[in-house]
Amino acid sequence: MDPLSDLLERVTAYHPEVDTDLLRRAYLFGLRAHDGQLRKSGEPYFTHPIAVARIIAELRLDTASLCAALLHDTVEDTTASVEEVDQLFGQEVAFLVDGVTKLSKFNFTSKEDRQAENFRKMLLHMARDIRVLLVKLADRLDNMRTLEHMKPDAQERIARETLDIYAPLANRLGIAWMKSELEDLSFRYLEPDGHRLVKDKLAQLTASRERYVDSTVALLSDRLAEAGFAAEVTGRFKHLYSLWRKMQSQACEFEQIYDVIAFRALLETTADCYAALGVIHGMFTPIPGRFKDYIALPKPNMYQSLHTTVLGPERERMEVQLRTRDMHRVAELGIAAHWKYKERNKGEGHGAVIDFKDAQRFHWLRQLMEWQKELKDPQEFLESVKVELFQDEVYVFTPKGDVRVFPRGATPIDFAYAIHSDVGDHTSGARVNGVLVPLRSQLRSGDVVEVLTESNRHPSKDWLDHCVTSKARGKIRAFLRSETRERSLRLGRELLERELHGAGLSYNKVLKNAAIQKAVESAKVGTVEELLIQVGYGRVKPQEVLAALLPPETRPPSELREGTVERVLRKVTGRDTAGILVSGEPDVLVRFAKCCSPLPGDEIQGFITRGRGITVHRRGCTKGLDLDPERRVKVEWESGAKVSRPVCLRVITANRPGILAEVGQTFSKCEINIEEANCRAAESDRATNLFSFTITDLGALKTVIRALQKVKGVLSVERV
């Protein structure tokens, strides 16, 4: 069967009223537009849009979504324009295509900035029509399925972006199968050895435990039928990445994971789910603390189910999920399960056609929209996106009994800012379940939280170490930055007043004179206040302001008129050995931040530090993000830079004899001299080892990490 007929057959099976003529025209237009283009695999490029459209059909979406899938790369990769798509296929399809199109025609300072701005544009579109995101997820899923044809560095970058953003997005939209597949595909490229290990172990287990699964399914089906329930019971092995995460979080081997198999029973009604739970607990001993009621308290992505872990046949732990068939449909398709087929006539406009029964379920989407408006800095915006998409949540209550959902690890500070920014800014303490607790205390599901405030209390910098939500971190940073600006304004005023006084000029008269505008224009700022702030920051020297004010014949020597940060901080002689270029200039005084210890090869960012030149952080370092963006300057490594930098690795291992010697030998084989080691065994049969050493670039560090990951008994390796 040809691809078009196959696609039409898939779609008409669930949507008989689909506009087949429009779909056929979109197919032929895309086929012609991509004619002659090839994918990295050597296949015709149009195989990709077809595959994306098939995924959209799996989500059971409408005609416009299918057309957008077929056309989503035409504007970016061919001579077609959004206007042409609009004219031929309507405003609705054009809007979806434009939303998915990348910002490939703009220049950004880094891949991270491009990633952030691409995502920001997608947010703006998906806020008006969620189908933009669904098409983008389908596009990313097919790209991940064919990622083996890309270069290794591209594989790692795309897989990391998928794991950090797109898999959590699929989870937030409730599309369970897509989230699991994106995670497993990312896992394959980010942790190839771990992926191989879990895949092989699971294959062996599947072969040996099929009989166990079949017999347990039969047992559960029979008991539920005897109790009068029309239940459909299935058993499955959990997906690879979820097992790997459990190995990492519990610091254990694959064989020590008990609930590898999950059983699911689909029932007729919600009441049947609770009643069937009693039958299950009557059959098997439940594990204390392992029951979760997502029916009474659904997840934000609309997921509903009862989860319980019991000691099943042969005294083995197993997880059982109980839900209705409608709940299961929502669990598999997520937001797409709420789709209503309302095909529009040309010219009717566009917009979401989903029935949102409860707008609170998509609070996270509105939160992202608020942050894309407030956070102009791409790095900080992307950090907030990752936090808001974090998968694990805790459910806590206000004193009035209202439920609030937070990422795991949230503290009373996060809770305070979720109530109101003013409450957060004046928080002085908190009571959890009626007991006073430190503000750094992590909240747990079921906690009742009350915030205490005082009018003279304000955020401090250490609060950033004790909160996780984007709102709290953003508001705290905004307050601290406003304080920094005030201090810089006062300092700039003081420095300039001193400089003018030395030249026999009156500070007050100069600020009232039109001549000050020359200094404002020279410094390329908008106002006198901004000029003073830049003087306080150290971006502009007081002597430069004076030079702009004085007549040309009395102007100071040319060395005082250097106008950029690089020249202001340039060393008098010699070439700096740090291998750093500041806005293209080599001879600039730099120091490396100890919090993130950047290596040649790392993406880096510089910050002006008064009196100490430029401080270089790794891009994305949370300490760097806490600094004022106005103090940020572009920095990069010189070509071929080799700089010995201290690095610390945290290596989690099984606590067994000889493991430390094997790890030490691995360092030796990589020609690494361990300068300091801190090894501590825990009660959970694991050991935490911190190794400090110096290394010259990121490539060498990755080699060491890969070698350590291959050592039997090493559970995780991370840079700290």
Side-chain angles (χ1 to χ4, degrees):
M1 184 183 298
D2 69 277
L4 177 57
S5 300
D6 174 63
L7 180 62
L8 290 172
E9 185 177 307
R10 290 169 187 255
V11 177
T12 52
Y14 70 85
H15 185 22
E17 297 176 5
V18 64
D19 188 341
T20 54
D21 178 61
L22 188 67
L23 200 56
R24 185 176 284 105
R25 286 194 288 112
Y27 179 93
L28 295 174
F29 182 88
L31 183 64
R32 286 193 298 270
H34 291 291
D35 185 38
Q37 295 180 347
L38 299 176
R39 302 194 77 188
K40 297 285 186 183
S41 62
E43 298 175 294
Y45 188 87
F46 196 59
T47 57
H48 168 62
I50 293 171
V52 174
R54 285 179 181 143
I55 295 170
I56 291 298
E58 285 185 61
L59 293 173
R60 306 169 71 85
L61 299 187
D62 62 344
T63 308
S65 304
L66 291 158
C67 290
L70 292 168
L71 302 171
H72 76 274
D73 276 337
T74 54
V75 173
E76 182 181 349
D77 295 335
T78 76
T79 57
S81 65
V82 174
E83 292 74 22
E84 187 177 3
V85 173
D86 187 347
Q87 184 179 4
L88 293 173
F89 303 101
Q91 184 182 4
E92 188 176 9
V93 174
F95 179 84
L96 297 179
V97 171
D98 186 46
V100 181
T101 300
K102 299 186 186 75
L103 298 180
S104 55
K105 297 178 182 178
F106 292 84
N107 294 317
F108 297 99
T109 56
S110 70
K111 292 175 183 176
E112 285 81 3
D113 290 353
R114 179 185 294 276
Q115 179 191 45
E117 292 306 321
N118 281 334
F119 194 77
R120 193 190 297 268
K121 181 184 180 186
M122 189 172 69
L123 269 181
L124 290 169
H125 281 72
M126 81 185 197
R128 292 170 61 188
D129 198 322
I130 200 72
R131 290 174 294 179
V132 169
L133 180 53
L134 294 171
V135 175
K136 183 62 183 175
L137 283 171
D139 173 44
R140 178 52 60 108
L141 179 57
D142 185 61
N143 283 331
M144 288 300 299
R145 286 173 174 174
T146 55
L147 197 59
E148 71 268 18
H149 303 292
M150 302 291 285
K151 294 180 180 178
D153 58 336
Q155 290 176 345
E156 185 175 346
R157 174 177 52 80
I158 295 169
R160 173 57 59 194
E161 182 182 73
T162 301
L163 192 62
D164 284 348
I165 292 181
Y166 289 98
L169 272 172
N171 178 62
R172 279 291 197 169
L173 294 179
I175 311 172
W177 67 270
M178 184 180 285
K179 169 243 184 190
S180 298
E181 187 174 350
L182 287 171
E183 285 182 340
D184 284 351
L185 289 167
S186 301
F187 178 35
R188 173 184 170 187
Y189 295 100
L190 294 175
E191 299 280 358
D193 294 329
H195 182 272
R196 246 186 324 270
L197 169 70
V198 178
K199 186 178 180 181
D200 292 345
K201 294 281 187 182
L202 192 61
Q204 295 169 16
L205 186 65
T206 303
S208 63
R209 303 312 305 277
E210 282 183 351
R211 184 176 297 178
Y212 176 87
V213 173
D214 292 341
S215 63
T216 304
V217 166
L219 177 61
L220 289 171
S221 298
D222 291 344
R223 291 292 180 88
L224 290 173
E226 289 171 11
F229 298 108
E232 178 186 334
V233 182
T234 56
R236 63 175 178 83
F237 290 90
K238 294 188 174 179
H239 70 104
L240 301 180
Y241 183 67
S242 67
L243 294 171
W244 174 255
R245 273 201 317 178
K246 190 162 287 191
M247 289 170 63
Q248 302 307 300
S249 63
Q250 298 178 4
C252 63
E253 302 284 354
F254 180 88
E255 290 75 14
Q256 295 172 287
I257 299 177
Y258 298 110
D259 49 350
V260 176
I261 305 169
F263 295 90
R264 180 183 298 136
L266 303 184
L267 297 118
E268 296 297 316
T269 67
T270 300
D272 286 351
C273 294
Y274 286 101
L277 179 69
V279 175
I280 302 297
H281 284 178
M283 294 172 62
F284 306 115
T285 304
I287 305 296
R290 296 289 295 170
F291 169 68
K292 294 177 181 176
D293 187 346
Y294 292 120
I295 292 180
L297 279 175
K299 290 187 177 184
N301 64 8
M302 303 175 290
Y303 177 88
Q304 289 183 287
S305 190
L306 298 178
H307 289 196
T308 185
T309 303
V310 298
L311 286 176
E314 303 176 22
R315 305 294 292 172
E316 289 196 17
R317 284 192 183 199
M318 67 181 196
E319 183 180 83
V320 182
Q321 301 171 0
L322 303 161
R323 62 179 75 147
T324 66
R325 286 174 173 80
D326 280 344
M327 292 175 190
H328 181 62
R329 188 169 63 91
V330 173
E332 291 302 302
L333 295 178
I335 194 172
H338 292 266
W339 205 262
K340 295 210 169 190
Y341 296 105
K342 184 191 170 193
E343 300 296 352
R344 293 175 172 80
N345 296 321
K346 188 172 181 179
E348 281 190 15
H350 52 76
V353 286
I354 296 174
D355 180 20
F356 296 111
K357 293 182 179 178
D358 183 0
Q360 282 299 107
R361 291 170 175 170
F362 290 89
H363 172 74
W364 62 274
L365 179 55
R366 291 199 307 278
Q367 186 72 57
L368 288 182
M369 283 306 303
E370 289 174 17
W371 283 108
Q372 77 82 23
K373 292 175 185 174
E374 291 187 24
L375 299 179
K376 304 304 180 186
D377 177 61
Q379 295 177 44
E380 193 174 346
F381 169 66
L382 206 54
E383 184 209 24
S384 76
V385 166
K386 292 176 182 178
V387 171
E388 291 302 325
L389 295 179
F390 198 70
Q391 295 176 16
D392 296 330
E393 291 123 357
V394 292
Y395 297 78
V396 300
F397 297 88
T398 68
K400 293 182 179 180
D402 297 328
V403 180
R404 298 274 180 163
V405 184
F406 293 95
R408 193 168 299 280
T411 66
I413 297 173
D414 296 296
F415 183 91
Y417 278 102
I419 300 300
H420 197 278
S421 298
D422 286 341
V423 175
D425 283 345
H426 298 292
T427 297
S428 60
R431 288 193 183 97
V432 175
N433 303 322
V435 178
L436 281 171
V437 299
L439 291 178
R440 65 177 180 275
S441 304
Q442 292 191 5
L443 302 178
R444 298 180 179 181
S445 287
D447 283 346
V448 178
V449 186
E450 179 185 359
V451 176
L452 309 177
T453 61
E454 292 179 16
S455 59
N456 61 344
R457 292 297 296 270
H458 298 290
S460 61
K461 195 171 182 179
D462 62 343
W463 282 20
L464 290 167
D465 296 327
H466 307 310
C467 63
V468 296
T469 59
S470 302
K471 182 172 184 179
R473 297 183 69 82
K475 294 297 182 183
I476 294 167
R477 284 171 177 159
F479 179 84
L480 295 176
R481 286 167 184 167
S482 68
E483 279 202 325
T484 302
R485 284 177 65 85
E486 285 297 321
R487 286 198 300 269
S488 296
L489 179 61
R490 289 195 299 270
L491 179 60
R493 188 182 294 121
E494 181 184 328
L495 292 172
L496 184 57
E497 189 170 0
R498 188 183 305 163
E499 189 68 28
L500 293 174
H501 178 73
L505 298 176
S506 165
Y507 173 81
N508 290 329
K509 288 182 179 179
V510 165
L511 259 61
K512 292 176 182 177
N513 193 292
I516 191 66
Q517 288 303 318
K518 294 180 181 178
V520 170
E521 294 168 8
S522 175
K524 297 180 181 178
V525 295
T527 64
V528 174
E529 181 179 292
E530 194 63 33
L531 174 66
L532 295 174
I533 289 170
Q534 297 304 320
V535 171
Y537 278 151
R539 281 184 178 270
V540 178
K541 276 189 174 182
Q543 296 94 321
E544 292 177 312
V545 179
L546 180 61
L549 294 170
L550 291 174
E553 62 273 9
T554 58
R555 188 166 294 182
S558 59
E559 62 266 19
L560 293 179
R561 287 186 276 115
E562 291 183 311
T564 64
V565 172
E566 298 79 58
R567 292 171 189 152
V568 170
L569 297 173
R570 191 189 299 275
K571 290 182 176 179
V572 177
T573 60
R575 185 178 181 83
D576 189 77
T577 57
I580 296 289
L581 299 174
V582 180
S583 294
E585 298 288 340
D587 298 326
V588 179
L589 178 63
V590 297
R591 58 193 292 271
F592 294 101
K594 293 181 180 178
C595 53
C596 55
S597 195
L599 277 173
D602 283 324
E603 292 281 348
I604 53 176
Q605 186 70 67
F607 293 86
I608 300 169
T609 309
R610 202 160 32 245
R612 291 182 290 178
I614 303 292
T615 301
V616 178
H617 288 261
R618 285 206 336 240
R619 186 178 284 272
C621 169
T622 54
K623 298 293 184 185
L625 287 172
D626 294 342
L627 299 173
D628 196 318
E630 291 193 22
R631 293 165 54 191
R632 186 176 297 160
V633 292
K634 180 184 176 183
V635 295
E636 58 187 3
W637 297 101
E638 284 191 279
S639 178
K642 295 286 183 181
V643 183
S644 292
R645 299 287 307 136
V647 169
C648 182
L649 290 181
R650 181 188 290 118
V651 183
I652 308 294
T653 66
N655 188 17
R656 65 169 176 80
I659 184 70
L660 198 55
E662 292 177 37
V663 170
Q665 289 172 2
T666 304
F667 275 107
S668 296
K669 289 177 182 176
C670 294
E671 299 183 352
I672 297 296
N673 178 42
I674 299 173
E675 296 171 357
E676 185 180 343
N678 187 334
C679 307
R680 180 167 45 85
E683 295 179 1
S684 57
D685 295 327
R686 67 173 181 172
T688 301
N689 311 280
L690 295 175
F691 298 103
S692 298
F693 52 92
T694 57
I695 202 161
T696 57
D697 61 67
L698 185 62
L701 180 62
K702 287 183 177 180
T703 300
V704 176
I705 291 174
R706 282 193 291 267
L708 289 170
Q709 289 171 335
K710 292 179 181 178
V711 176
K712 182 175 175 57
V714 170
L715 304 172
S716 69
V717 183
E718 62 176 335
R719 183 176 172 186
V720 296

